[in-house]
Amino acid sequence: QVQLVESGGGSVQAGGSLRLSCVVSGYTYSHYWMGWFRQAPGKEREGVAVIYSYGGTSYADYVKGRFTIYQANDKYTVYLQMNSLKPEDTAMYYCAAQTPPIRAIMTPTSYNYWGQGTQVTVSS
């Protein structure tokens, strides 16, 4: 009964910052990969950032240099620090988890466990 609980979304103006949090409970295997995905109105859900069980990370091109994914030492909390936010970042942001191996690491269908999402709105 894996549960992912997200928080930290909100409304900000362009150029502002937010930090999203995802807390995992009920997880029986520690060597999982965790990621952040987002879905804007009228668009498909897309990968934003992923952190691997060994500490490596991957980012979508459109967030490189602005967003950072990292984990707490206990590995059961993952964060997404979002800086220099743009209106096009407006979306519902979801936390996801999956045990490796994963080939399509930025593809939503590769992940089995999902949070309910937290809304991020960036105004111009």
Side-chain angles (χ1 to χ4, degrees), residues 6 10 16 24 29 31 43 50-51 58 61 63 67 76 100 119:
E6 302 156 346
V24 181
Y29 181 64
H31 301 286
K43 295 185 177 181
V50 173
I51 187 164
S58 292
D61 288 341
V63 304
F67 292 7
Y76 289 95
Q119 179 68 40

Side-chain angles (χ1 to χ4, degrees), residues 6-99:
E6 302 156 346
S7 62
S11 298
V12 299
Q13 289 191 289
S17 298
L18 286 171
R19 188 181 73 167
L20 307 183
S21 300
C22 175
V23 179
V24 181
S25 63
Y27 217 82
T28 60
Y29 181 64
S30 63
H31 301 286
Y32 51 80
W33 294 6
M34 298 184 67
W36 287 96
F37 298 78
R38 70 186 188 186
Q39 187 167 18
K43 295 185 177 181
E44 298 290 330
R45 190 171 299 185
E46 61 184 2
V48 176
V50 173
I51 187 164
Y52 316 124
S53 58
Y54 52 88
T57 57
S58 292
Y59 295 93
D61 288 341
Y62 49 82
V63 304
K64 288 181 179 178
R66 299 190 298 124
F67 292 7
T68 303
I69 186 171
Y70 61 100
Q71 286 184 298
N73 289 336
D74 62 14
K75 299 185 179 180
Y76 289 95
T77 304
V78 63
Y79 303 95
L80 184 68
Q81 178 67 47
M82 305 185 294
N83 298 324
S84 301
L85 284 162
K86 305 175 181 179
E88 48 264 48
D89 294 319
T90 296
M92 185 73 72
Y93 283 71
Y94 299 90
C95 178
Q98 179 61 43
T99 55

